Amino acid sequence: LSLFDQEKLLAFTDQTLGVLTEYDARQNADLIKTLEAFFTCHGNLSQTSEMLIVHRNTLLYRINRINDIAEIDLNRPETRLALHLALTIRRLLALN
């Protein structure tokens, strides 16, 4: 993945987060925001729920929705890495 090839970066981001981004837009949901907070808090659910100001059960529901909608397993390290990388790329590209 070339860091200077914006098309490839966008394609990776869309492939990794596209389904969740579309769901958020359609349902007025906060799944991407939830993932961002989850990674900011290093996967700590208590800290993430505090950061988002939601009950822990609400956070668990959102995490399960993310897993179901994106057909992923957030317990897998390679999945977490791909999502975290895609979120970082998305944020960096938005700055440009």
Side-chain angles (χ1 to χ4, degrees):
L1 198 53
S2 172
L3 296 178
F4 298 105
D5 191 340
Q6 191 167 345
E7 273 187 40
K8 284 184 182 178
L9 293 172
L10 286 170
F12 172 75
T13 301
D14 187 52
Q15 177 185 355
T16 308
L17 298 173
V19 142
L20 295 172
T21 304
E22 290 169 9
Y23 182 87
D24 275 358
R26 264 192 336 268
Q27 301 295 323
N28 197 25
D30 288 326
L31 299 183
I32 295 293
K33 180 181 172 182
T34 299
L35 271 179
E36 289 171 340
F38 179 77
F39 288 118
T40 297
C41 296
H42 308 287
N44 183 302
L45 297 176
S46 296
Q47 289 177 2
T48 305
S49 64
E50 286 177 22
M51 178 183 231
L52 294 171
I53 311 170
V54 298
H55 192 276
R56 184 179 163 94
N57 290 342
T58 301
L59 175 62
L60 291 172
Y61 173 79
R62 288 183 187 178
I63 295 293
N64 286 330
R65 290 298 297 150
I66 290 167
N67 284 329
D68 292 344
I69 292 165
E71 297 178 354
I72 59 169
D73 181 0
L74 270 172
N75 291 318
R76 297 182 58 153
E78 60 273 13
T79 300
R80 284 186 187 211
L81 176 62
L83 289 168
H84 196 195
L85 183 58
L87 288 168
T88 301
I89 290 168
R90 182 175 180 259
R91 187 176 63 251
L92 290 173
L93 290 177
L95 295 175
N96 291 333

Coordinates of all heavy atoms in Angstrom, one line a residue:
L1 N 0.8 -1.2 0.0 CA 0.0 0.0 0.0 C 0.9 1.2 0.0 O 1.6 1.5 0.9 CB -0.9 0.0 1.2 CG -2.1 0.8 1.3 CD1 -3.0 0.6 0.1 CD2 -2.9 0.4 2.6
S2 N 0.9 2.0 -1.1 CA 1.7 3.2 -1.2 C 1.0 4.3 -0.4 O -0.1 4.6 -0.6 CB 1.9 3.6 -2.7 OG 2.5 4.8 -2.7
L3 N 1.8 5.0 0.4 CA 1.3 6.0 1.2 C 1.0 7.3 0.4 O 0.3 8.2 0.8 CB 2.2 6.4 2.4 CG 2.4 5.3 3.4 CD1 3.4 5.7 4.4 CD2 1.1 4.9 4.0
F4 N 1.5 7.3 -0.8 CA 1.3 8.5 -1.7 C 0.2 8.2 -2.8 O -0.1 9.1 -3.6 CB 2.6 8.9 -2.3 CG 3.6 9.4 -1.3 CD1 4.7 8.6 -1.0 CD2 3.4 10.6 -0.6 CE1 5.6 9.0 0.0 CE2 4.3 11.0 0.4 CZ 5.4 10.2 0.7
D5 N -0.3 7.0 -2.8 CA -1.3 6.7 -3.8 C -2.7 6.8 -3.2 O -3.2 5.9 -2.6 CB -1.1 5.2 -4.3 CG -1.9 4.9 -5.5 OD1 -3.0 5.6 -5.7 OD2 -1.6 4.0 -6.2
Q6 N -3.2 8.0 -3.3 CA -4.5 8.4 -2.7 C -5.6 7.5 -3.1 O -6.5 7.1 -2.3 CB -4.8 9.8 -2.9 CG -6.0 10.3 -2.0 CD -6.1 11.8 -2.0 OE1 -5.2 12.5 -2.5 NE2 -7.2 12.3 -1.5
E7 N -5.6 7.0 -4.4 CA -6.7 6.1 -4.9 C -6.6 4.8 -4.1 O -7.7 4.3 -3.8 CB -6.5 5.9 -6.4 CG -7.2 6.9 -7.2 CD -7.1 6.6 -8.7 OE1 -7.3 5.4 -9.0 OE2 -6.9 7.5 -9.5
K8 N -5.4 4.3 -3.9 CA -5.3 3.0 -3.2 C -5.7 3.1 -1.7 O -6.4 2.3 -1.2 CB -3.9 2.4 -3.3 CG -3.6 1.8 -4.6 CD -2.2 1.2 -4.6 CE -1.9 0.6 -6.0 NZ -0.5 0.1 -6.0
L9 N -5.4 4.3 -1.2 CA -5.7 4.5 0.2 C -7.3 4.6 0.4 O -7.8 4.1 1.3 CB -5.1 5.8 0.7 CG -3.5 5.7 0.9 CD1 -3.0 7.1 1.2 CD2 -3.1 4.7 1.9
L10 N -7.9 5.4 -0.6 CA -9.3 5.5 -0.5 C -10.0 4.2 -0.8 O -11.0 3.9 -0.1 CB -9.8 6.5 -1.6 CG -9.5 8.0 -1.2 CD1 -9.8 8.9 -2.5 CD2 -10.3 8.4 -0.1
A11 N -9.5 3.4 -1.7 CA -10.0 2.1 -2.0 C -10.0 1.2 -0.7 O -10.9 0.5 -0.4 CB -9.3 1.4 -3.2
F12 N -8.8 1.2 -0.1 CA -8.6 0.4 1.2 C -9.6 0.8 2.2 O -10.3 0.0 2.9 CB -7.2 0.5 1.7 CG -7.0 -0.1 3.0 CD1 -6.9 -1.5 3.2 CD2 -6.9 0.6 4.2 CE1 -6.8 -2.1 4.4 CE2 -6.7 0.1 5.4 CZ -6.7 -1.3 5.5
T13 N -9.7 2.1 2.4 CA -10.7 2.7 3.4 C -12.1 2.3 3.1 O -12.8 1.9 4.0 CB -10.5 4.2 3.5 OG1 -9.1 4.5 3.8 CG2 -11.4 4.8 4.5
D14 N -12.5 2.4 1.8 CA -13.8 2.1 1.4 C -14.1 0.6 1.6 O -15.1 0.2 2.1 CB -14.1 2.5 0.0 CG -15.5 2.3 -0.4 OD1 -16.4 2.8 0.3 OD2 -15.8 1.6 -1.4
Q15 N -13.1 -0.2 1.2 CA -13.3 -1.7 1.4 C -13.4 -2.1 2.8 O -14.2 -3.0 3.2 CB -12.1 -2.4 0.8 CG -12.1 -3.9 0.9 CD -10.8 -4.5 0.4 OE1 -9.9 -3.9 -0.1 NE2 -10.7 -5.8 0.6
T16 N -12.7 -1.4 3.7 CA -12.7 -1.7 5.1 C -13.8 -1.1 5.9 O -14.4 -1.8 6.8 CB -11.3 -1.3 5.7 OG1 -10.3 -1.8 5.0 CG2 -11.2 -1.8 7.2
L17 N -14.2 0.1 5.6 CA -15.2 0.8 6.4 C -16.5 1.2 5.6 O -17.4 1.6 6.2 CB -14.6 2.2 6.9 CG -13.4 2.1 7.8 CD1 -12.9 3.5 8.1 CD2 -13.8 1.4 9.1
G18 N -16.5 0.9 4.3 CA -17.6 1.3 3.5 C -19.0 0.9 4.0 O -19.9 1.7 4.0
V19 N -19.1 -0.4 4.3 CA -20.4 -0.9 4.8 C -20.9 -0.1 6.0 O -22.0 0.2 6.2 CB -20.2 -2.4 5.0 CG1 -21.0 -2.9 6.2 CG2 -20.6 -3.2 3.8
L20 N -19.9 0.1 6.9 CA -20.3 0.8 8.2 C -20.6 2.3 7.9 O -21.5 2.8 8.5 CB -19.2 0.7 9.2 CG -18.9 -0.7 9.7 CD1 -17.6 -0.7 10.5 CD2 -20.0 -1.3 10.4
T21 N -19.9 2.9 7.0 CA -20.1 4.3 6.7 C -21.5 4.5 6.1 O -22.3 5.4 6.4 CB -19.0 4.8 5.7 OG1 -17.8 4.7 6.3 CG2 -19.2 6.3 5.4
E22 N -21.8 3.5 5.2 CA -23.2 3.6 4.5 C -24.3 3.3 5.5 O -25.3 4.0 5.5 CB -23.2 2.5 3.4 CG -22.3 2.8 2.2 CD -22.2 1.6 1.3 OE1 -22.9 0.6 1.4 OE2 -21.4 1.7 0.3
Y23 N -24.0 2.4 6.4 CA -25.0 2.1 7.5 C -25.3 3.3 8.3 O -26.4 3.7 8.6 CB -24.6 0.9 8.3 CG -25.6 0.5 9.4 CD1 -26.7 -0.3 9.1 CD2 -25.5 1.1 10.7 CE1 -27.6 -0.7 10.0 CE2 -26.5 0.8 11.6 CZ -27.5 -0.1 11.3 OH -28.4 -0.4 12.3
D24 N -24.2 4.0 8.7 CA -24.3 5.2 9.6 C -25.1 6.3 8.8 O -26.0 6.9 9.4 CB -22.9 5.8 9.9 CG -22.3 5.1 11.1 OD1 -22.9 4.3 11.7 OD2 -21.1 5.5 11.4
A25 N -24.9 6.5 7.5 CA -25.6 7.5 6.8 C -27.1 7.1 6.6 O -27.9 8.0 6.8 CB -24.9 7.6 5.4
R26 N -27.3 5.9 6.4 CA -28.7 5.4 6.2 C -29.5 5.5 7.5 O -30.7 5.9 7.5 CB -28.8 4.0 5.7 CG -28.9 3.8 4.2 CD -29.2 2.4 3.8 NE -28.9 1.3 4.6 CZ -27.7 0.7 4.6 NH1 -26.8 1.0 3.7 NH2 -27.4 -0.3 5.4
Q27 N -28.9 5.0 8.6 CA -29.6 4.8 9.8 C -29.4 6.0 10.8 O -29.8 5.9 12.0 CB -29.2 3.5 10.5 CG -29.5 2.3 9.6 CD -31.0 2.1 9.4 OE1 -31.8 2.3 10.3 NE2 -31.4 1.6 8.2
N28 N -28.6 6.9 10.4 CA -28.2 8.0 11.4 C -27.6 7.4 12.6 O -27.9 7.8 13.8 CB -29.4 8.9 11.7 CG -28.9 10.2 12.3 OD1 -27.8 10.7 12.0 ND2 -29.8 10.8 13.1
A29 N -26.7 6.5 12.4 CA -26.0 5.7 13.5 C -24.7 6.3 13.8 O -24.2 7.2 13.1 CB -26.0 4.2 13.2
D30 N -24.0 5.8 14.8 CA -22.7 6.3 15.2 C -21.7 5.1 15.3 O -20.8 5.1 16.2 CB -22.7 7.0 16.6 CG -23.4 8.3 16.5 OD1 -23.3 9.0 15.5 OD2 -24.1 8.7 17.5
L31 N -21.7 4.2 14.3 CA -20.8 3.1 14.4 C -19.3 3.4 14.2 O -18.4 2.9 14.8 CB -21.3 2.0 13.5 CG -22.7 1.4 13.8 CD1 -23.0 0.3 12.8 CD2 -22.8 1.0 15.2
I32 N -19.1 4.3 13.2 CA -17.7 4.8 12.9 C -17.2 5.6 14.2 O -16.1 5.3 14.6 CB -17.7 5.7 11.7 CG1 -18.0 4.8 10.4 CG2 -16.3 6.3 11.5 CD1 -17.0 3.7 10.1
K33 N -18.0 6.4 14.7 CA -17.6 7.2 15.9 C -17.3 6.2 17.1 O -16.4 6.4 17.8 CB -18.8 8.1 16.3 CG -18.5 9.0 17.5 CD -19.7 9.9 17.8 CE -19.5 10.6 19.2 NZ -20.7 11.4 19.5
T34 N -18.1 5.1 17.2 CA -17.9 4.1 18.2 C -16.6 3.4 18.0 O -15.8 3.3 19.0 CB -19.1 3.1 18.2 OG1 -20.3 3.8 18.4 CG2 -18.9 2.0 19.2
L35 N -16.3 3.1 16.8 CA -15.0 2.4 16.5 C -13.8 3.4 16.8 O -12.8 2.9 17.4 CB -14.9 2.1 15.0 CG -15.4 0.7 14.6 CD1 -15.3 0.5 13.1 CD2 -14.7 -0.4 15.4
E36 N -13.9 4.6 16.4 CA -12.9 5.6 16.7 C -12.6 5.7 18.2 O -11.5 5.7 18.7 CB -13.2 7.0 16.1 CG -13.1 7.0 14.6 CD -13.7 8.3 14.0 OE1 -14.5 9.0 14.7 OE2 -13.4 8.5 12.9
A37 N -13.7 5.8 19.0 CA -13.6 5.8 20.5 C -13.0 4.5 21.0 O -12.1 4.6 21.9 CB -14.9 6.1 21.1
F38 N -13.4 3.4 20.5 CA -12.9 2.1 20.9 C -11.4 2.0 20.7 O -10.7 1.6 21.6 CB -13.6 1.0 20.0 CG -13.2 -0.4 20.3 CD1 -13.7 -1.0 21.4 CD2 -12.4 -1.0 19.4 CE1 -13.3 -2.4 21.7 CE2 -12.0 -2.4 19.7 CZ -12.5 -3.0 20.8
F39 N -10.9 2.5 19.6 CA -9.4 2.5 19.4 C -8.7 3.5 20.2 O -7.6 3.3 20.6 CB -9.1 2.6 17.9 CG -9.5 1.3 17.1 CD1 -10.4 1.4 16.1 CD2 -8.9 0.1 17.4 CE1 -10.7 0.2 15.4 CE2 -9.2 -1.0 16.7 CZ -10.1 -1.0 15.7
T40 N -9.3 4.7 20.4 CA -8.7 5.7 21.2 C -8.5 5.2 22.6 O -7.5 5.5 23.3 CB -9.6 7.0 21.2 OG1 -9.7 7.5 19.9 CG2 -9.1 8.0 22.2
C41 N -9.4 4.4 23.1 CA -9.4 3.8 24.4 C -8.7 2.4 24.4 O -8.8 1.7 25.4 CB -10.8 3.7 25.0 SG -11.6 5.3 25.2
H42 N -8.0 2.1 23.4 CA -7.3 0.9 23.3 C -8.1 -0.4 23.5 O -7.6 -1.4 24.1 CB -6.0 0.9 24.2 CG -5.2 2.1 24.0 ND1 -4.4 2.3 23.0 CD2 -5.1 3.2 24.8 CE1 -3.7 3.4 23.1 NE2 -4.2 4.0 24.2
G43 N -9.3 -0.3 23.1 CA -10.2 -1.5 23.2 C -10.8 -1.7 24.6 O -11.5 -2.6 24.9
N44 N -10.6 -0.7 25.5 CA -11.1 -0.8 26.9 C -12.6 -0.4 26.8 O -12.9 0.8 26.6 CB -10.3 0.1 27.8 CG -10.8 0.0 29.2 OD1 -12.0 0.2 29.5 ND2 -9.9 -0.4 30.1
L45 N -13.5 -1.3 27.1 CA -14.9 -1.1 26.9 C -15.4 -0.1 28.0 O -16.3 0.8 27.6 CB -15.7 -2.4 27.0 CG -15.4 -3.4 25.9 CD1 -16.2 -4.7 26.1 CD2 -15.8 -2.8 24.5
S46 N -14.9 -0.1 29.2 CA -15.4 0.8 30.2 C -15.0 2.2 29.8 O -15.8 3.2 29.9 CB -14.8 0.4 31.6 OG -15.3 -0.8 32.0
Q47 N -13.8 2.4 29.4 CA -13.3 3.8 29.0 C -14.1 4.2 27.8 O -14.4 5.4 27.7 CB -11.8 3.8 28.8 CG -11.0 3.6 30.0 CD -9.5 3.6 29.7 OE1 -9.1 3.6 28.5 NE2 -8.7 3.4 30.7
T48 N -14.3 3.3 26.8 CA -15.0 3.7 25.6 C -16.4 4.1 25.9 O -16.9 5.2 25.4 CB -15.0 2.5 24.6 OG1 -13.7 2.1 24.4 CG2 -15.7 2.9 23.3
S49 N -17.1 3.4 26.8 CA -18.5 3.8 27.1 C -18.5 5.1 27.8 O -19.4 5.9 27.6 CB -19.2 2.7 27.9 OG -18.6 2.5 29.2
E50 N -17.5 5.4 28.7 CA -17.4 6.7 29.3 C -17.2 7.8 28.3 O -17.8 8.9 28.4 CB -16.3 6.7 30.4 CG -16.7 5.9 31.6 CD -15.5 5.9 32.6 OE1 -14.6 6.7 32.6 OE2 -15.5 4.9 33.5
M51 N -16.3 7.5 27.4 CA -15.9 8.6 26.4 C -17.2 8.9 25.5 O -17.4 10.1 25.2 CB -14.8 8.1 25.5 CG -14.4 9.0 24.4 SD -13.1 8.3 23.4 CE -12.0 9.6 23.4
L52 N -17.9 7.9 25.2 CA -19.1 8.1 24.3 C -20.3 8.5 25.1 O -21.4 8.9 24.5 CB -19.4 6.8 23.6 CG -18.4 6.4 22.5 CD1 -18.7 5.0 22.0 CD2 -18.3 7.4 21.4
I53 N -20.2 8.5 26.4 CA -21.3 8.8 27.4 C -22.5 7.9 27.0 O -23.6 8.3 26.8 CB -21.7 10.3 27.3 CG1 -20.4 11.1 27.5 CG2 -22.7 10.6 28.4 CD1 -20.7 12.6 27.2
V54 N -22.3 6.6 27.0 CA -23.3 5.6 26.8 C -23.1 4.5 27.8 O -22.0 4.3 28.3 CB -23.3 5.0 25.3 CG1 -23.5 6.0 24.3 CG2 -22.0 4.2 25.1
H55 N -24.2 3.8 28.1 CA -24.1 2.6 29.0 C -23.3 1.6 28.4 O -23.2 1.4 27.1 CB -25.6 2.1 29.3 CG -25.6 1.2 30.4 ND1 -25.4 -0.2 30.2 CD2 -25.9 1.3 31.7 CE1 -25.5 -0.8 31.4 NE2 -25.8 0.1 32.3
R56 N -22.6 0.8 29.2 CA -21.7 -0.3 28.7 C -22.5 -1.3 27.8 O -22.0 -1.7 26.8 CB -21.1 -1.0 29.9 CG -20.1 -2.1 29.5 CD -19.5 -2.7 30.7 NE -18.9 -4.0 30.4 CZ -17.6 -4.1 30.1 NH1 -16.8 -3.1 30.1 NH2 -17.1 -5.3 29.9
N57 N -23.8 -1.6 28.1 CA -24.6 -2.5 27.3 C -24.9 -1.9 25.9 O -24.9 -2.6 25.0 CB -25.9 -2.8 28.0 CG -25.7 -3.7 29.2 OD1 -24.6 -4.3 29.4 ND2 -26.7 -3.8 30.1
T58 N -25.1 -0.5 25.9 CA -25.3 0.1 24.6 C -24.0 0.0 23.8 O -24.1 -0.3 22.5 CB -25.6 1.6 24.8 OG1 -26.8 1.7 25.6 CG2 -25.7 2.4 23.5
L59 N -22.8 0.1 24.4 CA -21.6 0.0 23.6 C -21.4 -1.5 23.1 O -21.1 -1.7 22.0 CB -20.4 0.3 24.5 CG -19.0 0.1 23.9 CD1 -18.9 0.9 22.7 CD2 -17.9 0.4 24.9
L60 N -21.8 -2.4 24.0 CA -21.7 -3.8 23.6 C -22.6 -4.1 22.4 O -22.3 -4.8 21.5 CB -22.0 -4.8 24.7 CG -20.9 -4.8 25.8 CD1 -21.4 -5.6 27.0 CD2 -19.6 -5.3 25.3
Y61 N -23.8 -3.5 22.4 CA -24.7 -3.7 21.3 C -24.1 -3.1 20.1 O -24.2 -3.7 19.0 CB -26.1 -3.0 21.7 CG -27.0 -2.9 20.5 CD1 -27.8 -4.1 20.2 CD2 -27.2 -1.8 19.7 CE1 -28.6 -4.0 19.1 CE2 -28.0 -1.8 18.6 CZ -28.8 -2.9 18.3 OH -29.6 -2.9 17.2
R62 N -23.6 -1.9 20.1 CA -22.9 -1.3 19.0 C -21.8 -2.1 18.4 O -21.6 -2.3 17.2 CB -22.4 0.1 19.3 CG -23.5 1.1 19.5 CD -22.9 2.5 19.7 NE -23.9 3.5 20.1 CZ -23.6 4.7 20.4 NH1 -22.3 5.2 20.4 NH2 -24.5 5.6 20.7
I63 N -21.0 -2.7 19.3 CA -19.8 -3.5 18.9 C -20.4 -4.7 18.1 O -19.9 -5.1 17.1 CB -19.0 -3.9 20.1 CG1 -18.3 -2.7 20.7 CG2 -18.0 -5.0 19.7 CD1 -17.3 -2.0 19.9
N64 N -21.4 -5.3 18.7 CA -22.0 -6.5 18.0 C -22.6 -6.1 16.7 O -22.5 -6.9 15.7 CB -23.1 -7.1 18.9 CG -22.5 -7.9 20.0 OD1 -21.4 -8.5 19.9 ND2 -23.2 -8.0 21.2
R65 N -23.2 -4.9 16.6 CA -23.8 -4.4 15.3 C -22.7 -4.2 14.3 O -22.8 -4.6 13.1 CB -24.5 -3.1 15.5 CG -25.9 -3.2 16.2 CD -26.9 -4.1 15.5 NE -27.3 -3.6 14.2 CZ -27.6 -4.3 13.2 NH1 -27.7 -5.6 13.3 NH2 -28.0 -3.7 12.0
I66 N -21.5 -3.7 14.7 CA -20.4 -3.5 13.9 C -19.9 -4.9 13.3 O -19.7 -5.0 12.1 CB -19.2 -2.8 14.6 CG1 -19.6 -1.3 14.8 CG2 -17.9 -2.9 13.8 CD1 -18.7 -0.6 15.8
N67 N -19.8 -5.8 14.2 CA -19.4 -7.2 13.8 C -20.4 -7.8 12.8 O -20.0 -8.4 11.8 CB -19.3 -8.1 15.0 CG -18.0 -7.9 15.8 OD1 -17.0 -7.5 15.3 ND2 -18.1 -8.1 17.1
D68 N -21.7 -7.6 13.1 CA -22.7 -8.2 12.2 C -22.8 -7.5 10.8 O -22.8 -8.2 9.8 CB -24.1 -8.2 12.9 CG -24.2 -9.1 14.1 OD1 -23.3 -10.0 14.2 OD2 -25.1 -8.9 14.9
I69 N -22.8 -6.2 10.9 CA -23.0 -5.4 9.6 C -21.8 -5.6 8.7 O -21.9 -5.8 7.5 CB -23.3 -3.9 9.9 CG1 -24.6 -3.8 10.6 CG2 -23.1 -3.1 8.7 CD1 -24.9 -2.5 11.3
A70 N -20.6 -5.5 9.3 CA -19.3 -5.6 8.5 C -18.9 -7.0 8.3 O -17.9 -7.3 7.6 CB -18.2 -4.8 9.1
E71 N -19.6 -7.9 8.9 CA -19.2 -9.4 8.9 C -17.8 -9.6 9.2 O -17.0 -10.2 8.5 CB -19.5 -9.9 7.5 CG -21.0 -9.9 7.1 CD -21.3 -10.4 5.7 OE1 -20.4 -10.7 5.0 OE2 -22.5 -10.5 5.4
I72 N -17.4 -9.0 10.4 CA -16.1 -9.1 10.9 C -16.1 -9.6 12.4 O -17.2 -9.8 12.9 CB -15.4 -7.8 10.9 CG1 -16.2 -6.7 11.7 CG2 -15.1 -7.3 9.5 CD1 -15.4 -5.4 12.0
D73 N -14.9 -9.8 12.9 CA -14.8 -10.2 14.3 C -13.8 -9.3 15.0 O -12.6 -9.4 14.7 CB -14.4 -11.7 14.5 CG -14.2 -12.1 15.9 OD1 -14.5 -11.3 16.8 OD2 -13.9 -13.3 16.1
L74 N -14.2 -8.3 15.8 CA -13.3 -7.4 16.4 C -12.3 -8.0 17.4 O -11.4 -7.3 17.9 CB -14.1 -6.3 17.1 CG -14.4 -5.0 16.2 CD1 -15.4 -4.1 16.9 CD2 -13.2 -4.3 15.8
N75 N -12.5 -9.3 17.7 CA -11.6 -10.0 18.6 C -10.4 -10.4 17.9 O -9.4 -10.8 18.5 CB -12.3 -11.2 19.2 CG -13.4 -10.7 20.2 OD1 -13.2 -9.8 21.0 ND2 -14.5 -11.4 20.2
R76 N -10.4 -10.4 16.5 CA -9.2 -10.8 15.7 C -8.2 -9.6 15.6 O -8.6 -8.5 15.1 CB -9.6 -11.3 14.4 CG -10.5 -12.5 14.5 CD -10.9 -13.0 13.1 NE -9.6 -13.3 12.4 CZ -9.5 -14.1 11.5 NH1 -10.5 -14.8 11.0 NH2 -8.3 -14.3 10.9
P77 N -7.0 -9.8 16.0 CA -6.0 -8.7 15.9 C -5.8 -8.1 14.5 O -5.7 -6.9 14.3 CB -4.7 -9.4 16.3 CG -5.1 -10.5 17.1 CD -6.4 -11.0 16.5
E78 N -5.9 -9.0 13.4 CA -5.7 -8.4 12.1 C -6.9 -7.6 11.6 O -6.8 -6.6 10.9 CB -5.4 -9.6 11.1 CG -6.5 -10.6 10.9 CD -6.4 -11.8 11.9 OE1 -5.6 -11.7 12.9 OE2 -7.1 -12.7 11.7
T79 N -8.1 -7.9 12.2 CA -9.3 -7.1 11.9 C -9.1 -5.8 12.5 O -9.4 -4.7 11.9 CB -10.5 -7.9 12.4 OG1 -10.6 -9.1 11.7 CG2 -11.8 -7.0 12.1
R80 N -8.7 -5.8 13.8 CA -8.5 -4.5 14.5 C -7.5 -3.6 13.8 O -7.7 -2.4 13.7 CB -8.1 -4.8 16.0 CG -9.2 -5.2 16.9 CD -8.7 -5.3 18.3 NE -9.6 -5.9 19.1 CZ -9.8 -5.6 20.4 NH1 -9.0 -4.7 21.0 NH2 -10.7 -6.2 21.2
L81 N -6.4 -4.2 13.4 CA -5.4 -3.5 12.7 C -5.9 -2.8 11.4 O -5.7 -1.6 11.2 CB -4.2 -4.4 12.4 CG -3.1 -3.7 11.6 CD1 -2.4 -2.6 12.3 CD2 -2.0 -4.8 11.2
A82 N -6.6 -3.6 10.6 CA -7.2 -3.1 9.4 C -8.1 -1.9 9.6 O -8.1 -0.9 9.0 CB -7.8 -4.2 8.6
L83 N -9.0 -2.1 10.6 CA -10.0 -1.0 10.9 C -9.3 0.2 11.5 O -9.6 1.3 11.1 CB -11.0 -1.6 11.9 CG -12.0 -2.6 11.4 CD1 -12.8 -3.2 12.6 CD2 -13.0 -1.9 10.4
H84 N -8.3 0.0 12.4 CA -7.6 1.1 12.9 C -6.9 1.9 11.8 O -6.9 3.1 11.8 CB -6.7 0.7 14.0 CG -6.2 1.7 14.9 ND1 -5.2 1.6 15.8 CD2 -6.6 3.0 15.1 CE1 -5.0 2.7 16.4 NE2 -5.8 3.6 16.1
L85 N -6.2 1.2 11.0 CA -5.5 1.8 9.8 C -6.4 2.5 8.9 O -6.2 3.7 8.5 CB -4.7 0.7 9.1 CG -3.8 1.2 7.9 CD1 -2.8 2.2 8.4 CD2 -3.2 0.0 7.3
A86 N -7.6 1.9 8.6 CA -8.5 2.6 7.7 C -9.1 3.9 8.4 O -9.2 4.9 7.7 CB -9.7 1.6 7.4
L87 N -9.3 3.8 9.6 CA -9.8 5.0 10.3 C -8.8 6.1 10.3 O -9.1 7.3 10.2 CB -10.2 4.7 11.8 CG -11.5 3.9 11.9 CD1 -11.6 3.4 13.4 CD2 -12.7 4.7 11.6
T88 N -7.5 5.7 10.5 CA -6.4 6.7 10.5 C -6.2 7.3 9.1 O -6.1 8.5 9.0 CB -5.1 6.0 11.0 OG1 -5.3 5.5 12.3 CG2 -3.9 7.0 11.0
I89 N -6.3 6.5 8.1 CA -6.2 7.0 6.7 C -7.3 7.9 6.4 O -7.2 9.0 5.9 CB -6.2 5.8 5.7 CG1 -4.9 5.0 5.8 CG2 -6.4 6.3 4.3 CD1 -4.9 3.7 5.1
R90 N -8.5 7.6 6.8 CA -9.7 8.4 6.6 C -9.6 9.8 7.3 O -9.8 10.8 6.7 CB -10.9 7.7 7.2 CG -12.3 8.3 7.1 CD -13.3 7.3 7.6 NE -14.6 7.9 7.5 CZ -15.3 8.4 8.5 NH1 -14.8 8.5 9.7 NH2 -16.5 8.9 8.3
R91 N -9.0 9.8 8.5 CA -8.8 11.0 9.2 C -7.7 11.9 8.5 O -7.9 13.1 8.4 CB -8.5 10.7 10.7 CG -8.4 12.0 11.5 CD -8.1 11.7 13.0 NE -6.8 11.0 13.2 CZ -6.7 9.7 13.6 NH1 -7.8 9.0 13.7 NH2 -5.5 9.2 13.7
L92 N -6.7 11.2 8.1 CA -5.6 12.0 7.5 C -6.0 12.5 6.1 O -5.6 13.7 5.8 CB -4.3 11.1 7.3 CG -3.6 10.7 8.6 CD1 -2.6 9.6 8.4 CD2 -3.1 11.9 9.3
L93 N -6.7 11.8 5.4 CA -7.2 12.3 4.1 C -8.2 13.4 4.2 O -8.2 14.3 3.4 CB -7.8 11.1 3.2 CG -6.8 10.1 2.7 CD1 -7.5 9.0 2.0 CD2 -5.7 10.7 1.9
A94 N -8.9 13.4 5.3 CA -9.9 14.5 5.5 C -9.1 15.8 5.8 O -9.7 16.9 5.6 CB -10.8 14.1 6.7
L95 N -7.9 15.7 6.4 CA -7.1 16.9 6.7 C -6.6 17.6 5.5 O -6.3 18.7 5.5 CB -6.0 16.5 7.6 CG -6.4 16.0 9.0 CD1 -5.1 15.6 9.8 CD2 -7.1 17.1 9.8
N96 N -6.4 16.8 4.4 CA -5.8 17.4 3.1 C -6.9 18.0 2.3 O -8.0 17.8 2.2 CB -5.2 16.3 2.3 CG -3.9 15.8 3.1 OD1 -3.3 16.5 3.8 ND2 -3.6 14.5 2.8

